[in-house]
């Protein structure tokens, strides 16, 4: 433990807190620890500033003299900078409030500079700033002391657009000499704007030259002076393109190192003629929320109603790197096809407590403004109980525009669908080619291999269209059914889709049933894998489906070809499944739905509905095929990254190969190129591993509404209401996504690896489902899921198997117990408890007997 009055070296700041060394000193130490180019420095702890009215204490003077002598800095020009407690924080930057002294030489001058910096704590401007932000307590200040860099140029960089809040931009301001004239507003300098391209590289897209008449330079006797900039230099750009892009990459790396979730920082930099240095970093304060104009006075509604099905647990840094852009790629393609004017650079994905959320308010607005789809319908498709945005009645011009968008989509969708089919096949071929490729020796060849793998993920817009827009035809089918059968569209739609052309996920399930049947023909006492017939069939299964696995969207998740025992252990129970009874159930559900249509609707409805059912079945299958192709690329990528991780373990850069998933791809590349030191790489992994552990210990919220800084958005009444599902303590209502009605005993599973506990015919109750759960669907008599919507994986596959299913029941795992007798009504979307293993009054019920599922989920 470092004494509160001992000088703190740059390397020791990680052993302190911002309360000891101030915001600036602590952040500079963090940057240096992460391998960023920060000059060496030491910090005078904040505790000394409490004695500032008496000047610099003799004990501190002695420490400063000894420190300068030990470092050989007695004749070195120094920068003496404020580092107040609370300075450079996310909500209080104190920019321009506190003093810094430049070009300070010798112990005597240093003492005077420290006193001068301390005195800025007590200025009327500082007091007013603290009062405005309601900062309480005694103001104290640490002081950072570092060599003054020989600045040929310097400036400020923002790793987002500080005006709009757009996060796919970097904005840099640059000027000749020291940064005082730029920071103080005496010169505008040059401005450079960078955009992120498809290879995660930041490219210069715009530059503007500003006034550069005067610059700040060190004065001969100490301090600084203003000099006129020579005309030819004032007319020249401070940074050439290549150097500017190198700076942008450095700024982005620094921001990601500090916070890979919200890498939005204001950084000060210096160019000394040989390299760039970082001299300050603070979060961008009050970053505007970048959204559509019609949403700016409404809260940003974030939900995991859809994402928690496939990624229920926290994401690691590399997962987030792909999801941050991948979610937008998936969700934008349909709107682009329709010609809808998307807001450039809008971000629909976010991490909260490490979990992946989507901004429902943006998705609801795009659907409403683009084609007139009500926000409530988007919620039903995606799942969750998040509120809806406020909308106004459309004008006739808006109605015409929405109709035109719909017609454009319908005209172009078939061609894009065919393109997507081809790209799905190509993606599977690329993944198949690379899944056994050896890791090259040279870093350049490794980079080329990774870019070959990433190309489909960046360029296959047709594949992303299939995955992200697969609900359009299903939505049209539901709209038609809702007009004909109000309130019953979900149930009838599920029945019509039962038993149609199977998706790749359903085919995988049927293939697994065939393996189970083959396993019964193997002689008793003989290993299945020693039987040529079974072994050949199992090898063929893994060749086609081995890239899949439990929660396969995470790069950290093993695949079936890595853990084939996960499949083999399911076969005995699957061998008891009556496949013919399942198919009969599917056919009966579809036949009953068509019989009702024939009985109750005019004859001309039938060809329309048949066409819509065919389209919905095709698009749902395409959605599953695109997901399988994307997962195959992730599987091949997982293998390559683990091979790289093994190499880094050999270099002592990592402790375990899987630790590589705590890094961004760009960080691995910077390490390989020698611009990120080994110690910096290890520090990032260690801190993110600790953060990941903290995330895993948190209980995620289903949705949240955020009001942007500086705005007075009105919270809709729906947001203030509690999410109560109707019931009497026995009946719980969710979203009907499967067919028929079934009764059985509850089996709660929190992960598909627990699947051996599920007995044939039991009601599977799960927190979420992805394709790793599919083998269990074959055994289950019915399905109940806390998450999901009509387009979720569990809903699609349940419809295919004709499985009675209800989804979107958050908290149901806490209500039901193993062995409870329940009825799952896939037609009405209800789960009824018929008998239970404990007193039902122990549930979280209000005085009316209504289950408050939000309370259970907190």
């Amino acid at each position: 433990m470092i004494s509160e009055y001992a000088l703190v070296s740059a390397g020791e700041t990680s052993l302190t807190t911002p309360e000891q060394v101030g915001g600036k000193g602590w952040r500079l130490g963090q940057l240096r620890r992460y391998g960023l180019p920060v000059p060496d420095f030491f910090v005078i702890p904040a505790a000394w500033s409490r004695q500032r009215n008496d000047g610099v204490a003799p004990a501190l003077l002695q420490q400063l003299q000894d420190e300068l002598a030990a470092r050989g800095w007695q004749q070195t020009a120094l920068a003496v900078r404020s580092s107040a407690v609370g300075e450079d924080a996310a909500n209080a930057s104190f920019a321009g409030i506190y003093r810094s002294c430049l070009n300070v030489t010798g112990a005597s001058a240093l003492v005077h500079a420290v006193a001068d910096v301390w005195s800025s704590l007590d200025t009327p401007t500082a007091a007013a700033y603290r009062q405005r932000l309601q900062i309480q307590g005694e103001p104290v200040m640490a002081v950072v002391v570092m060599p003054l860099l020989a600045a040929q140029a310097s400036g400020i960089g923002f790793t987002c657009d500080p005006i709009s809040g757009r996060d796919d931009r970097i904005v840099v301001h640059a000027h000749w000499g020291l940064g005082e004239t730029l920071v103080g507003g005496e010169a505008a300098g040059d401005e450079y704007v960078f955009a992120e391209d498809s290879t995660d590289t930041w490219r210069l897209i715009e530059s503007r030259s500003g006034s550069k008449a005067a610059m700040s330079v060190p004065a001969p006797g100490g301090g600084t002076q203003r000099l006129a900039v020579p005309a030819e230099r004032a007319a020249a750009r401070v940074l050439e393109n290549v150097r500017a892009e190198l700076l942008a990459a450095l700024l982005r790396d620094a921001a990601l190192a500090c916070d890979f979730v919200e890498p939005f920082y204001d950084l000060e930099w210096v160019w000394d003629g040989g390299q760039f240095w970082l001299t300050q970093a603070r979060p961008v304060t009050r970053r505007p929320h970048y959204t559509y104009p019609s949403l700016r006075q409404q809260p940003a509604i974030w939900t995991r109603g859809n994402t928690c099905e496939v990624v229920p647990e926290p994401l690691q840094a590399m997962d987030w790197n792909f999801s941050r852009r991948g979610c937008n790629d998936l969700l934008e393609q349909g709107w682009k096809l329709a010609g809808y004017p998307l807001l450039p650079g809008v971000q629909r994905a976010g991490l909260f407590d490490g979990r992946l959320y989507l901004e429902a308010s943006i998705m609801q607005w795009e659907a409403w403004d683009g084609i007139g789809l009500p926000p409530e319908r988007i919620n039903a498709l995606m799942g969750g109980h998040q509120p809806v945005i406020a909308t106004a009645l459309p004008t006739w011009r808006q109605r015409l525009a929405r109709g035109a968008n719909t017609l454009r989509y319908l005209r172009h969708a078939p061609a894009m669908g065919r393109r997507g089919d081809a790209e799905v096949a190509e993606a599977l071929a690329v993944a198949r080619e690379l899944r056994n490729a050896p890791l090259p020796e040279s870093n350049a060849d490794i980079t080329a291999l990774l870019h070959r793998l990433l190309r489909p993920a960046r360029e296959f817009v047709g594949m992303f269209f299939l995955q992200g827009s697969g609900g359009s035809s299903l939505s049209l089918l539901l709209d038609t059914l809702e007009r004909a059968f109000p309130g019953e569209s979900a149930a009838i739609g599920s029945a019509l889709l039962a038993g149609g052309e199977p998706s790749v996920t359903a085919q995988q399930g049927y293939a697994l049933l065939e393996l189970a049947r083959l396993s019964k023909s193997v002689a008793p006492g003989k290993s299945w894998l020693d039987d040529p017939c079974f072994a050949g069939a199992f090898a063929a299964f893994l060749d086609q489906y081995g890239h899949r696995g439990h929660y396969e969207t995470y790069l950290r998740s093993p695949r079936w070809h890595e853990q084939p025992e996960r499949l083999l252990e399911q076969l005995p129970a699957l061998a008891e499944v009556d496949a013919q009874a399942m198919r009969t159930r599917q056919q009966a559900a579809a036949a009953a739905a068509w019989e009702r249509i024939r009985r109750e609707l005019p004859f001309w409805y039938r060809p329309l509905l048949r066409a819509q059912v065919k389209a919905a079945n095709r698009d749902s299958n395409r959605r599953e095929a695109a997901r399988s192709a994307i997962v195959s690329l992730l599987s091949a990528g997982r293998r390559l990254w683990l091979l790289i991780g093994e190499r880094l373990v050999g270099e002592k850069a990592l402790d375990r190969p899987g630790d590589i998933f705590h890094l961004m791809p760009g960080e691995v590349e910077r390490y390989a190129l020698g611009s990120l030191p080994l110690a910096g790489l290890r520090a990032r992994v260690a801190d993110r591993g600790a953060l990941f552990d903290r995330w895993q210990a948190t209980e995620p919220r289903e949705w949240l509404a955020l009001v942007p800084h500086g705005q007075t958005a009105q919270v809709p009444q729906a947001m203030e209401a509690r999410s109560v599902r109707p019931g009497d303590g026995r009946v719980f209502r969710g979203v009907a996504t499967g067919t028929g009605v079934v009764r059985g005993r509850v089996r709660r599973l929190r992960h598909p690896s627990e699947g051996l506990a599920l007995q044939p015919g039991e009601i599977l109750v799960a927190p979420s489902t992805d394709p790793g759960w599919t083998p269990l669907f074959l055994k289950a008599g019915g399905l109940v899921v806390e998450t999901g919507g009509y387009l979720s994986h569990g809903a699609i596959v349940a419809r295919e198997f004709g499985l009675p299913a209800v989804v979107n029941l958050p908290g149901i795992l806490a209500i039901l117990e193993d062995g409870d007798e329940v009825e799952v009504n896939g037609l009405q979307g209800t789960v009824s408890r018929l008998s239970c293993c404990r007193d039902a009054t122990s549930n979280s019920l209000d005085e009316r007997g209504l289950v408050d599922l939000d309370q259970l989920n907190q």
Side-chain angles (χ1 to χ4, degrees), residues 190-394:
D190 293 345
E191 182 180 75
Y192 304 81
V193 181
F194 305 85
E196 187 180 17
D197 69 13
S198 61
T199 62
D200 297 328
T201 302
W202 292 84
R203 302 297 185 192
L204 180 66
I205 61 169
E206 185 180 358
S207 63
R208 290 185 289 269
S209 181
S211 63
K212 301 190 288 286
M215 65 178 179
S216 175
V217 298
T224 60
Q225 61 182 343
R226 303 296 189 267
L227 295 179
V229 179
E232 69 279 3
R233 204 176 188 196
R237 293 176 56 187
V238 176
L239 299 172
E240 295 303 320
N241 287 7
V242 173
R243 187 169 294 161
E245 289 179 350
L246 286 174
L247 173 60
L250 172 64
L251 297 175
R252 175 68 174 178
D253 184 52
L256 287 170
C258 291
D259 187 347
F260 75 86
V261 176
E262 298 244 340
F264 313 125
Y265 276 76
D266 165 359
L267 300 114
E268 294 183 13
W269 58 269
V270 170
W271 169 255
D272 67 0
Q275 74 168 92
F276 285 107
W277 297 90
L278 301 178
T279 57
Q280 181 170 304
R282 58 182 170 226
V284 172
T285 53
R286 301 184 178 275
R287 182 174 72 94
H289 180 56
Y290 183 63
T291 190
Y292 288 91
S294 297
L295 297 176
R296 288 175 187 163
Q297 296 305 313
Q298 299 191 50
I301 307 167
W302 292 91
T303 178
R304 59 194 296 266
N306 177 272
T307 58
C308 64
E309 183 189 42
V310 293
V311 280
E313 296 302 318
L315 274 65
Q316 293 172 287
M318 198 172 288
D319 291 323
W320 172 235
N321 178 74
F322 297 129
S323 297
R324 181 180 68 89
R325 296 186 55 169
C327 289
N328 291 301
D329 290 338
L330 291 174
L331 296 169
E332 287 183 350
Q333 303 311 321
W335 299 123
K336 290 179 179 178
L337 207 64
Y340 176 71
L342 293 167
L343 181 64
V346 70
Q347 178 56 265
R348 300 169 187 81
L351 281 195
F352 298 92
D353 292 330
R355 274 76 172 192
L356 182 63
Y357 287 71
L358 297 178
E359 189 175 340
S361 45
I362 287 178
M363 297 170 64
Q364 291 171 8
W365 173 255
E366 289 171 339
W368 169 250
D369 192 45
I371 58 174
L373 193 65
E376 294 82 0
R377 175 55 62 84
I378 286 291
N379 276 359
L381 290 172
M382 72 187 302
H385 299 92
Q386 62 277 354
V388 297
I389 59 172
T391 57
L393 290 175

Side-chain angles (χ1 to χ4, degrees), residues 3 5 44 56 81 102 146 159 174 215 234 254 366 375 424 447 456 497 502 513 553 597 643 645 663 719 819 825 838:
S3 166
Y5 290 102
I44 301 170
V56 175
R81 314 187 70 181
L102 304 181
M146 65 171 56
T159 54
M215 65 178 179
E366 289 171 339
V424 163
T447 300
L497 292 169
L513 284 178
T553 306
I597 289 169
L643 289 174
L663 294 168
M719 291 190 183
N825 190 321
R838 61 183 174 91

Side-chain angles (χ1 to χ4, degrees), residues 19-62:
E19 285 69 33
Q20 292 175 266
V21 297
K24 186 176 298 170
W26 189 83
R27 189 74 69 184
L28 285 172
Q30 185 184 42
L31 287 176
R32 192 174 165 90
R33 180 169 173 267
Y34 291 150
L36 279 306
V38 174
D40 196 9
F41 66 92
F42 66 87
V43 182
I44 301 170
W48 283 110
S49 70
R50 295 191 178 96
Q51 305 176 26
R52 60 186 180 275
N53 292 334
D54 299 321
V56 175
L60 175 57
L61 173 60
Q62 186 62 55

Side-chain angles (χ1 to χ4, degrees), residues 75-78 101-105 148-149 177-178 180 215-227:
Q75 301 303 315
T76 300
L78 303 172
C101 298
L102 304 181
N103 196 21
V104 175
T105 305
L148 180 67
L149 296 169
L178 300 171
E180 284 186 313
M215 65 178 179
S216 175
V217 298
T224 60
Q225 61 182 343
R226 303 296 189 267
L227 295 179

